[in-house]
Amino acid sequence: GGMGGALIAFLNGQFNQGIDLVLEAVHFNEQLSGASFVVTGEGKSDRQTLHGKAPYGIASTSQKAGVPTILISGAVEDIPELVKCFHTVASLVDKDVTVQMAMEKPAVHLRNKTKAIFQKILK
């Protein structure tokens, strides 16, 4: 934050969001060609997600290409703005899965959640 701003000011640099650099490096726009959905996530989705974190950058880029983005995170705060940015927002932790269960077997719960989401979408 502050250190980066100081370096930019003194070195006549340019500030870029980290996710923008990553998306460019992996040719994300080209990868979107022909995609039906993009699935992304993080440990916890909250207000910070909407301020330049990777899932938001992915969703913004995907949305411009007309590709819906699904957000699956370990935990999700109830924030209406998240629903506006993503086609689907889901948390591994829910009424059936505790934090401890999600931490002990994340692959199992991620697979189950993803399957349930796509069963709904593809009906």
Side-chain angles (χ1 to χ4, degrees):
M3 180 63 89
L7 288 172
I8 289 170
F10 289 113
L11 300 175
N12 295 322
Q14 171 181 333
F15 181 77
N16 290 311
Q17 293 283 344
I19 187 60
D20 293 336
L21 296 173
V22 171
L23 294 176
E24 185 178 325
V26 300
H27 307 285
F28 189 70
N29 282 321
E30 290 86 0
Q31 302 295 329
L32 287 172
S33 178
S36 298
F37 293 94
V38 171
V39 179
T40 188
E42 59 186 334
K44 181 179 181 183
S45 295
D46 53 24
R47 289 202 187 284
Q48 289 184 347
T49 301
L50 302 169
H51 298 286
K53 288 178 75 177
Y56 180 77
I58 290 167
S60 296
T61 303
S62 299
Q63 192 173 50
K64 289 174 191 168
V67 179
T69 303
I70 298 167
L71 175 69
I72 306 173
S73 296
V76 177
E77 283 188 12
D78 185 19
I79 300 171
E81 293 87 0
L82 281 175
V83 177
K84 293 177 186 175
C85 295
F86 298 93
H87 177 275
T88 302
V89 175
S91 174
L92 292 187
V93 176
D94 59 19
K95 63 181 175 61
D96 298 320
V97 179
T98 66
V99 172
Q100 183 174 346
M101 291 167 64
M103 297 283 282
E104 287 174 357
K105 296 184 179 179
V108 169
H109 298 294
L110 182 58
R111 183 173 45 252
N112 291 342
K113 185 64 70 167
T114 304
K115 181 178 177 182
I117 289 169
F118 276 99
Q119 284 175 336
K120 273 186 181 177
I121 290 173
L122 300 175
K123 277 187 177 182

